[in-house]
Amino acid sequence: MQNMPHCPKCYSEYVYHDSIQFVCPDCSYEWNDEEATPQENEFIVKDSNGNRLQNGDSVILIKDLKVKGSSIVLKKGTKAKNIRLIDADHDIDCKIDGQSFSLKSEFLRKA
């Protein structure tokens, strides 16, 4: 099976080839082979709902999180503004109530 590219518009992985061009069933975007596709090494972070996150976005916690090594609990519904993406296990850096935290994107949704 041929390795299909991701959709350049919505970054969906469910793309099919329609004899002449590629088609994304999620956003209905169509493009041909000659068009520039995003780099394979591009760092993409998605939230718990599959929305693409970017630097400067605001996110909301979807569950209570205990902070390791502390008695602090980050409550569900807490909003973090102006996030920064990093290429690590915990891929979001943000500040909540003046304290810096590194969070996993699977526990966040885009605000």
Side-chain angles (χ1 to χ4, degrees):
M1 177 174 230
Q2 181 182 349
N3 194 7
M4 294 290 194
H6 291 276
C7 174
K9 187 173 180 183
C10 71
Y11 302 99
S12 173
E13 59 187 37
Y14 305 110
V15 172
Y16 62 93
H17 195 263
D18 183 20
S19 70
I20 300 172
Q21 55 197 4
F22 291 103
V23 179
C24 176
D26 292 340
C27 68
S28 301
Y29 183 69
E30 300 177 358
W31 72 100
N32 59 17
D33 294 343
E34 289 83 32
E35 288 184 28
T37 57
Q39 296 178 1
E40 292 296 321
N41 296 335
E42 184 180 2
F43 180 62
I44 296 174
V45 177
K46 294 186 178 183
D47 69 357
S48 61
N49 295 331
N51 298 321
R52 186 172 184 213
L53 296 173
Q54 297 177 347
N55 287 325
D57 283 346
S58 295
V59 292
I60 297 174
L61 292 171
I62 61 168
K63 66 179 273 183
D64 291 348
L65 297 175
K66 296 179 183 176
V67 178
K68 192 174 188 177
S70 174
S71 61
I72 298 173
V73 176
L74 299 175
K75 297 291 184 181
K76 175 182 177 180
T78 302
K79 188 173 188 178
K81 299 177 184 176
N82 199 15
I83 64 169
R84 189 170 45 123
L85 305 179
I86 56 171
D87 192 7
D89 184 36
H90 291 74
D91 45 11
I92 306 282
D93 270 349
C94 63
K95 283 191 175 183
I96 300 175
D97 296 332
Q99 290 186 327
S100 295
F101 294 100
S102 292
L103 304 171
K104 291 187 177 185
S105 59
E106 64 194 59
F107 301 119
L108 305 169
R109 70 176 169 88
K110 194 170 186 174

